[in-house]
Amino acid sequence: MAEIVVMYKTPKDPAAFDKYYAETHVPLAKKMPGLRKFQVSQGPVATPAGPSAFHLIAILTFDNMAAIQKAFGSAEGHAAAGDLPKFASGGADMLLFDTREV
């Protein structure tokens, strides 16, 4: 499997972020071809030392890295990526990687 982890930094208006993310961005992202699973954090995102700079973490699962590349190359992937500036006022970091069970 392969995953994308999107770490959304605290936005200027957290309530507006949450509303837009749930009502607009998630439905867009769920249309990406090859998406197997879509998880988001619930409640505060913390570190072992306490609060973090992140408001929300999203984890999207695909079969492999080729499926991620295909998804982002699609019209649906372009729509989801292009939507970020509309709500992620704090910015976002994105990590992509293959996974294996150990």
Side-chain angles (χ1 to χ4, degrees):
M1 301 302 278
E3 294 190 331
I4 301 171
V5 175
V6 185
M7 300 173 296
Y8 294 97
K9 296 176 184 165
T10 302
K12 294 174 186 167
D13 183 345
F17 173 101
D18 291 344
K19 181 175 174 47
Y20 188 95
Y21 188 81
E23 295 176 4
T24 303
H25 189 70
V26 168
L28 278 175
K30 281 187 158 187
K31 292 179 183 177
M32 289 194 303
L35 179 65
R36 297 288 182 201
K37 190 162 127 179
F38 192 146
Q39 298 175 288
V40 297
S41 59
Q42 182 173 315
V45 177
T47 72
S52 76
F54 298 104
H55 178 70
L56 185 125
I57 307 294
I59 304 168
L60 290 77
T61 304
F62 292 83
D63 287 338
N64 50 45
M65 290 296 285
I68 290 175
Q69 291 171 341
K70 184 176 180 181
F72 275 100
S74 71
E76 296 86 354
H78 286 286
D83 191 47
L84 286 174
K86 296 178 183 175
F87 70 95
S89 61
D93 294 328
M94 185 181 297
L95 305 170
L96 297 81
F97 51 90
D98 280 315
T99 62
R100 65 182 170 92
E101 290 205 32
V102 293

PDB file of all heavy atoms in Angstrom, residues 1-2 34 36 61-68 98:
ATOM      1  N   MET A   1       0.846  -1.173   0.000  1.00  0.00           N
ATOM      2  CA  MET A   1       0.000   0.000   0.000  1.00  0.00           C
ATOM      3  C   MET A   1       0.896   1.243   0.000  1.00  0.00           C
ATOM      4  O   MET A   1       2.073   1.167   0.291  1.00  0.00           O
ATOM      5  CB  MET A   1      -0.893   0.012   1.241  1.00  0.00           C
ATOM      6  CG  MET A   1      -1.816  -1.207   1.400  1.00  0.00           C
ATOM      7  SD  MET A   1      -2.941  -1.475   0.041  1.00  0.00           S
ATOM      8  CE  MET A   1      -4.240  -0.360   0.418  1.00  0.00           C
ATOM      9  N   ALA A   2       0.290   2.375  -0.285  1.00  0.00           N
ATOM     10  CA  ALA A   2       0.991   3.654  -0.242  1.00  0.00           C
ATOM     11  C   ALA A   2       0.055   4.668   0.382  1.00  0.00           C
ATOM     12  O   ALA A   2      -1.167   4.550   0.265  1.00  0.00           O
ATOM     13  CB  ALA A   2       1.405   4.095  -1.646  1.00  0.00           C
ATOM     14  N   GLY A  34      -8.719   5.485  -7.460  1.00  0.00           N
ATOM     15  CA  GLY A  34      -7.774   4.624  -6.754  1.00  0.00           C
ATOM     16  C   GLY A  34      -7.719   4.827  -5.257  1.00  0.00           C
ATOM     17  O   GLY A  34      -7.021   4.078  -4.562  1.00  0.00           O
ATOM     18  N   ARG A  36      -8.391   4.231  -1.665  1.00  0.00           N
ATOM     19  CA  ARG A  36      -8.897   3.059  -0.936  1.00  0.00           C
ATOM     20  C   ARG A  36      -9.479   3.425   0.420  1.00  0.00           C
ATOM     21  O   ARG A  36     -10.429   2.809   0.886  1.00  0.00           O
ATOM     22  CB  ARG A  36      -7.783   2.031  -0.731  1.00  0.00           C
ATOM     23  CG  ARG A  36      -7.236   1.469  -1.992  1.00  0.00           C
ATOM     24  CD  ARG A  36      -8.229   0.541  -2.606  1.00  0.00           C
ATOM     25  NE  ARG A  36      -7.675  -0.032  -3.814  1.00  0.00           N
ATOM     26  CZ  ARG A  36      -8.412  -0.551  -4.760  1.00  0.00           C
ATOM     27  NH1 ARG A  36      -9.724  -0.569  -4.639  1.00  0.00           N
ATOM     28  NH2 ARG A  36      -7.852  -1.048  -5.827  1.00  0.00           N
ATOM     29  N   THR A  61      -5.132   6.460   1.602  1.00  0.00           N
ATOM     30  CA  THR A  61      -4.476   5.201   1.269  1.00  0.00           C
ATOM     31  C   THR A  61      -4.788   4.793  -0.168  1.00  0.00           C
ATOM     32  O   THR A  61      -5.947   4.840  -0.597  1.00  0.00           O
ATOM     33  CB  THR A  61      -4.924   4.095   2.239  1.00  0.00           C
ATOM     34  OG1 THR A  61      -4.648   4.511   3.581  1.00  0.00           O
ATOM     35  CG2 THR A  61      -4.205   2.784   1.967  1.00  0.00           C
ATOM     36  N   PHE A  62      -3.742   4.385  -0.883  1.00  0.00           N
ATOM     37  CA  PHE A  62      -3.830   3.904  -2.255  1.00  0.00           C
ATOM     38  C   PHE A  62      -3.095   2.564  -2.355  1.00  0.00           C
ATOM     39  O   PHE A  62      -2.369   2.181  -1.433  1.00  0.00           O
ATOM     40  CB  PHE A  62      -3.176   4.908  -3.208  1.00  0.00           C
ATOM     41  CG  PHE A  62      -3.918   6.212  -3.323  1.00  0.00           C
ATOM     42  CD1 PHE A  62      -3.738   7.220  -2.388  1.00  0.00           C
ATOM     43  CD2 PHE A  62      -4.791   6.442  -4.376  1.00  0.00           C
ATOM     44  CE1 PHE A  62      -4.423   8.420  -2.488  1.00  0.00           C
ATOM     45  CE2 PHE A  62      -5.481   7.643  -4.488  1.00  0.00           C
ATOM     46  CZ  PHE A  62      -5.290   8.635  -3.537  1.00  0.00           C
ATOM     47  N   ASP A  63      -3.230   1.874  -3.488  1.00  0.00           N
ATOM     48  CA  ASP A  63      -2.559   0.583  -3.661  1.00  0.00           C
ATOM     49  C   ASP A  63      -1.043   0.710  -3.704  1.00  0.00           C
ATOM     50  O   ASP A  63      -0.322  -0.136  -3.171  1.00  0.00           O
ATOM     51  CB  ASP A  63      -3.045  -0.111  -4.940  1.00  0.00           C
ATOM     52  CG  ASP A  63      -4.455  -0.656  -4.807  1.00  0.00           C
ATOM     53  OD1 ASP A  63      -4.917  -0.885  -3.669  1.00  0.00           O
ATOM     54  OD2 ASP A  63      -5.100  -0.865  -5.859  1.00  0.00           O
ATOM     55  N   ASN A  64      -0.543   1.766  -4.365  1.00  0.00           N
ATOM     56  CA  ASN A  64       0.901   1.942  -4.521  1.00  0.00           C
ATOM     57  C   ASN A  64       1.184   3.377  -4.960  1.00  0.00           C
ATOM     58  O   ASN A  64       0.252   4.153  -5.192  1.00  0.00           O
ATOM     59  CB  ASN A  64       1.466   0.922  -5.522  1.00  0.00           C
ATOM     60  CG  ASN A  64       0.681   0.894  -6.810  1.00  0.00           C
ATOM     61  OD1 ASN A  64       0.337   1.941  -7.365  1.00  0.00           O
ATOM     62  ND2 ASN A  64       0.366  -0.298  -7.298  1.00  0.00           N
ATOM     63  N   MET A  65       2.462   3.703  -5.083  1.00  0.00           N
ATOM     64  CA  MET A  65       2.840   5.064  -5.470  1.00  0.00           C
ATOM     65  C   MET A  65       2.360   5.400  -6.888  1.00  0.00           C
ATOM     66  O   MET A  65       1.997   6.537  -7.163  1.00  0.00           O
ATOM     67  CB  MET A  65       4.353   5.251  -5.368  1.00  0.00           C
ATOM     68  CG  MET A  65       4.875   5.274  -3.937  1.00  0.00           C
ATOM     69  SD  MET A  65       4.240   6.669  -2.979  1.00  0.00           S
ATOM     70  CE  MET A  65       5.198   7.997  -3.669  1.00  0.00           C
ATOM     71  N   ALA A  66       2.336   4.408  -7.772  1.00  0.00           N
ATOM     72  CA  ALA A  66       1.839   4.653  -9.124  1.00  0.00           C
ATOM     73  C   ALA A  66       0.366   5.076  -9.088  1.00  0.00           C
ATOM     74  O   ALA A  66      -0.047   5.959  -9.848  1.00  0.00           O
ATOM     75  CB  ALA A  66       2.018   3.410  -9.994  1.00  0.00           C
ATOM     76  N   ALA A  67      -0.406   4.487  -8.189  1.00  0.00           N
ATOM     77  CA  ALA A  67      -1.821   4.859  -8.053  1.00  0.00           C
ATOM     78  C   ALA A  67      -1.955   6.287  -7.533  1.00  0.00           C
ATOM     79  O   ALA A  67      -2.863   7.021  -7.951  1.00  0.00           O
ATOM     80  CB  ALA A  67      -2.538   3.876  -7.132  1.00  0.00           C
ATOM     81  N   ILE A  68      -1.056   6.704  -6.631  1.00  0.00           N
ATOM     82  CA  ILE A  68      -1.075   8.088  -6.139  1.00  0.00           C
ATOM     83  C   ILE A  68      -0.770   9.046  -7.286  1.00  0.00           C
ATOM     84  O   ILE A  68      -1.460  10.052  -7.467  1.00  0.00           O
ATOM     85  CB  ILE A  68      -0.076   8.280  -4.979  1.00  0.00           C
ATOM     86  CG1 ILE A  68      -0.569   7.551  -3.726  1.00  0.00           C
ATOM     87  CG2 ILE A  68       0.136   9.772  -4.689  1.00  0.00           C
ATOM     88  CD1 ILE A  68       0.408   7.574  -2.555  1.00  0.00           C
ATOM     89  N   ASP A  98       5.423   4.623   0.368  1.00  0.00           N
ATOM     90  CA  ASP A  98       4.968   3.238   0.359  1.00  0.00           C
ATOM     91  C   ASP A  98       4.995   2.731   1.790  1.00  0.00           C
ATOM     92  O   ASP A  98       5.787   3.202   2.616  1.00  0.00           O
ATOM     93  CB  ASP A  98       5.900   2.366  -0.486  1.00  0.00           C
ATOM     94  CG  ASP A  98       5.626   2.484  -1.966  1.00  0.00           C
ATOM     95  OD1 ASP A  98       4.432   2.453  -2.355  1.00  0.00           O
ATOM     96  OD2 ASP A  98       6.594   2.607  -2.737  1.00  0.00           O
TER      97      ASP A  98
END
